[in-house]
Amino acid sequence: MQITAATFADPAMRQYLQTYYENQKAEAVASWKARDPIPENAEFRLPDGSVLIGKAIQISAEQMEKAIVPFDQWLDFQIDRFTNPGLGPKRLEMAQQQLDFVQANGPDSSSNARTTFSSNGVLLAALYTDGTTMTSNGSAQILSPILDRANDLELTGQMRTDYLTREIQVALSKRHRDLNVTSHPDNAIPTKREFGQLWHPNFDIDDHHASAIAEAQASYDDAHAWYQQSQTNLDQMRDFLLKMQEA
């Protein structure tokens, strides 16, 4: 028996799923009733080492039971977890892809900066090989109408690059008489490290990349733990439903 989104929308499965839901709900409530009493006051240790004593919020088993979503809402959530990439099995795949992407795009990978626009050594904008842009030092407001126009015209590829290069240069040169435009051919596009050293010398790109990897790894670990627990829950649900159908 394979559990999919269709399982929770199948009228023939409704009675079995409702029995499973009620069983899980009863177990959750029983577990809450059996828990150790919560102290009236709770201690919280702050980052500086000091201890804060606060009054604990008491939640009864009855309140906890009322907080559990109704059966039909539970069904909708189960369907959503199979169809929403952020909730279903694809969550782990997406987290792995993000981790792989961050690891592969380190400081010495291509910056993809095709053209830069600067004035007096200050970067105003950069045009990337995929037709996207980066703006800084107050140039965003100037270039926003140009980007909107390029999107409205649905420009892509070389046509988009040529259009943006021309229009950005015209717009920025009206404010910056000493505008410097530098374009890089495919075989001379700077790496992220080179780009950073040129325009952001005080920016630690290695530290930034290490932080990005740590963040992506933490997201993957969370997704992996969630996936394993999800699979365990599905296995338990499948076994429960099979036994009910056999009975």
Side-chain angles (χ1 to χ4, degrees), residues 51-109:
V51 176
L52 176 67
I53 299 179
K55 190 173 182 62
I57 299 176
Q58 303 291 334
I59 301 177
S60 67
E62 291 73 19
Q63 290 174 311
M64 185 267 190
E65 183 174 5
K66 290 180 180 179
I68 297 176
V69 299
F71 173 63
D72 285 315
Q73 190 174 339
W74 176 82
L75 283 180
D76 290 339
F77 173 76
Q78 300 304 321
I79 293 173
D80 192 39
R81 67 185 290 209
F82 280 93
T83 55
N84 187 327
L87 294 175
K90 287 188 176 181
R91 177 183 174 186
L92 180 60
E93 179 184 346
M94 292 171 64
Q96 180 67 68
Q97 290 175 348
Q98 179 61 22
L99 178 59
D100 292 342
F101 176 81
V102 173
Q103 290 175 332
N105 288 271
D108 297 308
S109 63

Side-chain angles (χ1 to χ4, degrees), residues 224-238:
H224 188 262
W226 180 92
Y227 177 78
Q228 288 186 315
Q229 184 60 53
S230 178
Q231 290 302 111
T232 298
N233 294 342
L234 285 177
D235 290 341
Q236 293 174 347
M237 183 188 301
R238 180 170 53 250

Side-chain angles (χ1 to χ4, degrees), residues 161-189:
T161 299
D162 292 343
Y163 174 82
L164 290 177
T165 302
R166 181 181 67 253
E167 296 300 319
I168 290 175
Q169 181 173 354
V170 170
L172 291 178
S173 63
K174 292 179 180 179
R175 176 172 292 190
H176 304 276
R177 295 182 179 277
D178 57 346
L179 182 70
N180 183 44
V181 181
T182 303
S183 294
H184 304 283
D186 289 338
N187 61 351
I189 291 178

Side-chain angles (χ1 to χ4, degrees), residues 196-215:
Q197 289 172 343
L198 181 61
W199 300 112
H200 311 287
N202 296 323
F203 179 68
D204 191 336
I205 191 169
D206 292 298
D207 181 66
H208 175 75
H209 186 240
S211 297
I213 288 181
E215 183 177 341

